Amino acid sequence: MNEKSKENKNNYFDSAIYFLDAEIKNSLMKISADIKRSTQEIRLRIDKPVNLICAEKNFFIKNSGDATENYRSIDILKTDKNALEKSFYNLCEYSVYSFENQISNGFITAKNGHRVGLCGTAVMKNTEVSGMREITSMNIRIAKEFFGCSLKIVDILNKSFKNTLIIGPPSSGKTSILRDVARNISLGVGIAKPIKTVIIDERCEIAGISSGNAEFDIGLCDVMNAFPKSIGTEMAVRCLSPECIICDEIGDESDINELVKCANCGVNLIASIHAKDKDDFFKKNISETLISKCGFENLVFLDSYANPGEINQIIKASDYKK
Amino acid sequence: MKLLGGIILIVTGFLIGYFFYEKYTLKINFFTQYIELVILIKNGIMCYSKPLKDILLGYKPKNPIKKYTEDCILLLNENTFSEAWEKSFEKNQSSVNLSPEEKNLIISFGRQLGTSDSASQANYCQQQIEMVKPYLKKAIRDKNEKGKLPIVLGAGLGIMTAILVI
């Protein structure tokens, strides 16, 4: 991790809590820089203590801003219903309709690319969730940039540009690596020539676009912001003549079908997928499809959430088959 | 000299009358622009899903709504939307001479704005437009029926005073 990354880590925490109710925000601002740096998630639940999830420990916050591991301690900072509601509306910029699609998927991407998971009561339209009401808890996942974390991958791509799949458990740094790869290959850093790269940023996390500006450094990439992968990839191939398409969190069949189309068009793919480890990935039904039909050759396995952005192992799919 | 003084008195009387006449016009302009604003909000929600702040930023009206939307955007930095809406309205409504019922209608609109999905918000905006229309009609009717009275009274009073003085 380079110096720039270290310097920015406090700012990531502060930039993730901008929308919180003043009382909670003020207490969180007071916590020590060390805890701010190691915090990966901030969890708020109605009438429960504010919970910071760090790599090694969980902390709770006192009203004074001191952190404690004991959630029963006196003077603990709790989230009341009103504060959570205010925070939610502020997060939505007092325009809930503007985040309808995201809310129906259970999250909102805040400014600076931080993803806020939501819990509440589902609003159903026919058989589909169309929204959420009575928000009861929030999980703020702090997005961080790890400059240079993808250099191993870029080095492999420089030798032979093949489809690459980033595999790791939640909070292992998949999005950070995708962002770093995007920046490096689009700028031609560590690679023979810059690659025309399009990011399909379905969850608005890779580039962190807010009011049309990318909050993260994504080099010279074109960003299809908030487009579903299935639609965004098709449009990108048709209109932007990309050499490489980057997308986050492959999920269902429709995502895979679209990636197969891209692979057949001769566009390189770099994507990420959830899996605990190598065994877990190869147990998945879709792993075979991803390798054989989408042509993912480089399989990059990440370390656990304790070391976000750390690459554990890179294997060639062809070698693994043998 | 007396003639000049008389003319000044008549003109002054006319201008005072015109000032009161303009209040009727101002109210009509206010309601017309307010309906325009609500239509813009409705379209911004339905067509572009833009946040309220961006919709207000894109609205370039003339007075009297101009100051109101500008203040609302500024107040949003420190307040919730409903607070900003109410405060900016309270700050700028005095010149328009609205009745308590009219004020309440506009302030209450801000309380639910932005709090639900786009279809509900569009209906909410449409409902507001329908509720404001009768007040616009009443303002036009008032202007037609009572608007000329202050001018006539002002000018008449000026003439009478001028005659008395001369």
Side-chain angles (χ1 to χ4, degrees), chain A residues 25 86 88-90 92-101 111 123 125 130-132 211, chain B residues 44-45 49-55 76 79-81 83 113-119 121:
Chain A
K25 187 164 69 178
K86 267 189 181 175
F88 171 68
Y89 285 129
N90 196 11
C92 296
E93 299 173 55
Y94 303 99
S95 310
V96 174
Y97 57 84
S98 194
F99 295 86
E100 243 176 288
N101 290 339
K111 285 175 188 167
V123 177
K125 255 184 199 162
S130 65
M132 212 184 278
S211 305
Chain B
I45 291 170
S49 267
K50 275 185 177 180
L52 290 170
K53 190 177 179 180
D54 292 348
I55 296 174
L76 265 178
N79 297 274
T80 64
F81 184 81
E83 286 166 355
L113 197 58
T115 58
S116 60
D117 65 299
S118 49
Q121 287 294 301

Side-chain angles (χ1 to χ4, degrees), chain B residues 76-87:
Chain B
L76 265 178
N77 297 328
E78 300 290 326
N79 297 274
T80 64
F81 184 81
S82 59
E83 286 166 355
W85 182 267
E86 185 170 345
K87 283 180 186 173

Side-chain angles (χ1 to χ4, degrees), chain B residues 26-40:
Chain B
L26 198 64
K27 197 167 180 176
I28 292 169
N29 287 346
F30 177 83
F31 279 128
T32 310
Q33 286 179 18
Y34 180 71
I35 289 173
E36 267 178 28
L37 174 65
V38 180
I39 290 171
L40 188 91

Side-chain angles (χ1 to χ4, degrees), chain A residues 1-250:
Chain A
M1 194 187 306
N2 68 18
E3 285 307 310
K4 189 175 177 185
S5 179
K6 282 179 191 169
E7 278 169 26
N8 283 340
K9 275 197 157 186
N10 281 346
N11 296 341
Y12 294 137
F13 184 93
D14 293 346
S15 70
I17 59 171
Y18 73 92
F19 64 89
L20 293 179
D21 183 55
E23 191 192 347
I24 298 172
K25 187 164 69 178
N26 291 341
S27 297
L28 286 173
M29 291 295 268
K30 288 180 203 160
I31 66 169
S32 72
D34 281 345
I35 295 177
K36 278 186 182 179
R37 267 197 293 273
S38 62
T39 303
Q40 295 176 342
E41 294 175 4
I42 304 164
R43 289 179 176 266
L44 308 170
R45 302 174 180 97
I46 289 181
D47 294 332
K48 303 284 181 204
V50 175
N51 190 192
L52 303 186
I53 312 290
C54 301
E56 307 286 329
K57 288 175 181 173
N58 283 1
F59 289 105
F60 302 94
I61 306 300
K62 291 182 179 179
N63 288 317
S64 57
D66 295 327
T68 171
E69 288 180 64
N70 178 14
Y71 78 94
R72 289 177 198 277
S73 78
I74 307 161
D75 195 25
I76 203 93
L77 176 69
K78 289 187 177 179
T79 313
D80 65 34
K81 193 181 174 189
N82 194 27
L84 196 76
E85 198 173 73
K86 267 189 181 175
S87 304
F88 171 68
Y89 285 129
N90 196 11
L91 173 66
C92 296
E93 299 173 55
Y94 303 99
S95 310
V96 174
Y97 57 84
S98 194
F99 295 86
E100 243 176 288
N101 290 339
Q102 291 191 8
I103 293 170
S104 63
N105 284 312
F107 71 93
I108 290 176
T109 306
K111 285 175 188 167
N112 308 308
H114 308 287
R115 193 201 290 184
V116 182
L118 303 169
C119 261
T121 306
V123 177
M124 305 293 288
K125 255 184 199 162
N126 301 324
T127 54
E128 290 192 352
V129 177
S130 65
M132 212 184 278
R133 62 185 164 83
E134 292 150 11
I135 303 297
T136 53
S137 59
M138 269 185 196
N139 174 28
I140 308 164
R141 289 180 59 186
I142 300 174
K144 292 170 184 169
E145 276 184 297
F146 297 99
F147 287 87
C149 63
S150 71
L151 288 177
K152 275 187 195 171
I153 301 167
V154 175
D155 192 40
I156 291 170
L157 294 176
N158 188 35
K159 287 169 192 159
S160 169
F161 208 106
K162 294 277 169 63
N163 293 354
T164 301
L165 192 60
I166 319 288
I167 305 150
S171 302
S172 58
K174 295 182 291 296
T175 308
S176 303
I177 288 202
L178 285 178
R179 190 183 299 129
D180 201 51
V181 174
R183 179 171 51 236
N184 288 331
I185 63 171
S186 65
L187 290 169
V189 176
I191 201 157
K193 74 171 186 69
I195 307 285
K196 285 190 286 178
T197 307
V198 176
I199 299 172
I200 312 297
D201 202 357
E202 188 172 4
R203 292 178 175 82
C204 318
E205 282 187 303
I206 305 178
I209 286 187
S210 168
S211 305
N213 297 318
E215 299 286 347
F216 293 116
D217 181 359
I218 41 136
L220 296 174
C221 293
D222 299 310
V223 184
M224 306 279 284
N225 195 46
F227 275 82
K229 280 188 273 295
S230 52
I231 298 168
T233 45
E234 192 182 339
M235 285 173 77
V237 169
R238 212 186 292 152
C239 313
L240 296 168
S241 70
E243 291 173 285
C244 177
I245 286 180
I246 291 181
C247 58
D248 207 359
E249 293 186 12
I250 299 170

